[in-house]
mmCIF file of all heavy atoms in Angstrom:
data_model
loop_
_atom_site.group_PDB
_atom_site.id
_atom_site.type_symbol
_atom_site.label_atom_id
_atom_site.label_comp_id
_atom_site.label_asym_id
_atom_site.label_seq_id
_atom_site.Cartn_x
_atom_site.Cartn_y
_atom_site.Cartn_z
ATOM 1 N N LYS A 9 16.953 3.939 -1.642
ATOM 2 C CA LYS A 9 16.288 2.995 -2.388
ATOM 3 C C LYS A 9 16.629 1.579 -2.042
ATOM 4 O O LYS A 9 15.770 0.650 -2.047
ATOM 5 C CB LYS A 9 16.552 3.332 -3.780
ATOM 6 C CG LYS A 9 15.791 2.322 -4.780
ATOM 7 C CD LYS A 9 14.374 2.690 -5.064
ATOM 8 C CE LYS A 9 13.721 1.797 -6.023
ATOM 9 N NZ LYS A 9 12.225 1.984 -6.063
ATOM 10 N N TYR A 10 18.010 1.289 -1.874
ATOM 11 C CA TYR A 10 18.444 0.003 -1.452
ATOM 12 C C TYR A 10 19.385 0.016 -0.291
ATOM 13 O O TYR A 10 20.098 1.041 -0.078
ATOM 14 C CB TYR A 10 19.218 -0.554 -2.637
ATOM 15 C CG TYR A 10 18.465 -0.784 -3.940
ATOM 16 C CD1 TYR A 10 18.437 0.172 -4.856
ATOM 17 C CD2 TYR A 10 17.681 -1.937 -4.000
ATOM 18 C CE1 TYR A 10 17.820 -0.011 -6.078
ATOM 19 C CE2 TYR A 10 16.902 -2.184 -5.282
ATOM 20 C CZ TYR A 10 17.029 -1.125 -6.228
ATOM 21 O OH TYR A 10 16.349 -1.219 -7.438
ATOM 22 N N LYS A 41 4.526 -10.148 -1.331
ATOM 23 C CA LYS A 41 3.853 -8.829 -1.787
ATOM 24 C C LYS A 41 2.743 -8.313 -0.858
ATOM 25 O O LYS A 41 2.092 -7.353 -1.261
ATOM 26 C CB LYS A 41 3.250 -8.924 -3.299
ATOM 27 C CG LYS A 41 4.362 -9.234 -4.234
ATOM 28 C CD LYS A 41 5.521 -8.362 -4.436
ATOM 29 C CE LYS A 41 6.446 -8.574 -5.506
ATOM 30 N NZ LYS A 41 7.605 -7.691 -5.559
ATOM 31 N N PHE A 90 7.700 0.805 2.732
ATOM 32 C CA PHE A 90 7.200 1.837 2.016
ATOM 33 C C PHE A 90 6.663 2.968 2.993
ATOM 34 O O PHE A 90 6.063 2.543 4.030
ATOM 35 C CB PHE A 90 5.953 1.403 1.127
ATOM 36 C CG PHE A 90 6.291 0.646 -0.078
ATOM 37 C CD1 PHE A 90 6.276 -0.717 -0.007
ATOM 38 C CD2 PHE A 90 6.715 1.297 -1.224
ATOM 39 C CE1 PHE A 90 6.547 -1.468 -1.144
ATOM 40 C CE2 PHE A 90 6.956 0.531 -2.302
ATOM 41 C CZ PHE A 90 7.060 -0.906 -2.235
ATOM 42 N N SER A 106 8.657 5.240 -3.414
ATOM 43 C CA SER A 106 8.974 4.145 -4.269
ATOM 44 C C SER A 106 9.643 2.866 -3.534
ATOM 45 O O SER A 106 10.037 2.024 -4.079
ATOM 46 C CB SER A 106 9.923 4.616 -5.360
ATOM 47 O OG SER A 106 11.065 5.243 -4.677
ATOM 48 N N GLY A 107 9.652 3.031 -2.178
ATOM 49 C CA GLY A 107 10.133 1.863 -1.514
ATOM 50 C C GLY A 107 11.604 1.907 -1.059
ATOM 51 O O GLY A 107 12.439 2.466 -1.816
ATOM 52 N N ARG A 109 14.339 -1.164 -0.236
ATOM 53 C CA ARG A 109 14.536 -2.651 -0.229
ATOM 54 C C ARG A 109 15.713 -2.912 0.705
ATOM 55 O O ARG A 109 16.862 -2.599 0.421
ATOM 56 C CB ARG A 109 14.903 -3.277 -1.569
ATOM 57 C CG ARG A 109 15.164 -4.677 -1.448
ATOM 58 C CD ARG A 109 15.288 -5.434 -2.883
ATOM 59 N NE ARG A 109 14.084 -5.413 -3.689
ATOM 60 C CZ ARG A 109 13.110 -6.282 -3.620
ATOM 61 N NH1 ARG A 109 13.162 -7.285 -2.703
ATOM 62 N NH2 ARG A 109 12.061 -6.179 -4.256
ATOM 63 N N GLN B 37 0.657 -1.674 -8.669
ATOM 64 C CA GLN B 37 2.066 -1.564 -8.209
ATOM 65 C C GLN B 37 2.796 -2.338 -9.324
ATOM 66 O O GLN B 37 2.661 -3.443 -9.768
ATOM 67 C CB GLN B 37 2.267 -2.353 -6.926
ATOM 68 C CG GLN B 37 3.789 -2.228 -6.456
ATOM 69 C CD GLN B 37 4.007 -2.874 -5.114
ATOM 70 O OE1 GLN B 37 3.123 -3.617 -4.562
ATOM 71 N NE2 GLN B 37 4.968 -2.510 -4.563
ATOM 72 N N GLU B 38 3.890 -1.541 -9.857
ATOM 73 C CA GLU B 38 4.894 -2.147 -10.793
ATOM 74 C C GLU B 38 6.065 -2.466 -10.105
ATOM 75 O O GLU B 38 6.438 -1.937 -9.027
ATOM 76 C CB GLU B 38 4.912 -1.147 -11.984
ATOM 77 C CG GLU B 38 3.658 -0.954 -12.746
ATOM 78 C CD GLU B 38 3.776 -0.118 -13.954
ATOM 79 O OE1 GLU B 38 5.012 -0.016 -14.443
ATOM 80 O OE2 GLU B 38 2.770 0.499 -14.279
ATOM 81 N N PRO B 39 6.874 -3.344 -10.737
ATOM 82 C CA PRO B 39 8.197 -3.845 -10.016
ATOM 83 C C PRO B 39 9.135 -2.620 -9.737
ATOM 84 O O PRO B 39 9.245 -1.809 -10.507
ATOM 85 C CB PRO B 39 8.742 -4.662 -11.058
ATOM 86 C CG PRO B 39 7.721 -5.277 -11.949
ATOM 87 C CD PRO B 39 6.669 -4.144 -12.006
ATOM 88 N N GLY B 40 9.577 -2.615 -8.449
ATOM 89 C CA GLY B 40 10.481 -1.631 -8.003
ATOM 90 C C GLY B 40 9.833 -0.321 -7.569
ATOM 91 O O GLY B 40 10.544 0.702 -7.418
ATOM 92 N N GLU B 41 8.458 -0.228 -7.683
ATOM 93 C CA GLU B 41 7.832 1.014 -7.373
ATOM 94 C C GLU B 41 6.857 0.801 -6.361
ATOM 95 O O GLU B 41 6.436 -0.365 -5.806
ATOM 96 C CB GLU B 41 7.064 1.522 -8.643
ATOM 97 C CG GLU B 41 8.098 1.863 -9.730
ATOM 98 C CD GLU B 41 9.035 3.000 -9.453
ATOM 99 O OE1 GLU B 41 8.570 3.882 -8.663
ATOM 100 O OE2 GLU B 41 10.203 2.940 -9.937
ATOM 101 N N GLY B 42 6.248 1.952 -5.785
ATOM 102 C CA GLY B 42 5.265 1.813 -4.727
ATOM 103 C C GLY B 42 3.940 1.782 -5.298
ATOM 104 O O GLY B 42 3.751 2.073 -6.653
#
Side-chain angles (χ1 to χ4, degrees):
Chain A
K9 176 79 172 171
Y10 300 97
K41 304 294 186 185
F90 286 100
S106 58
R109 180 174 292 279
Chain B
Q37 184 178 14
E38 299 188 21
E41 297 298 326

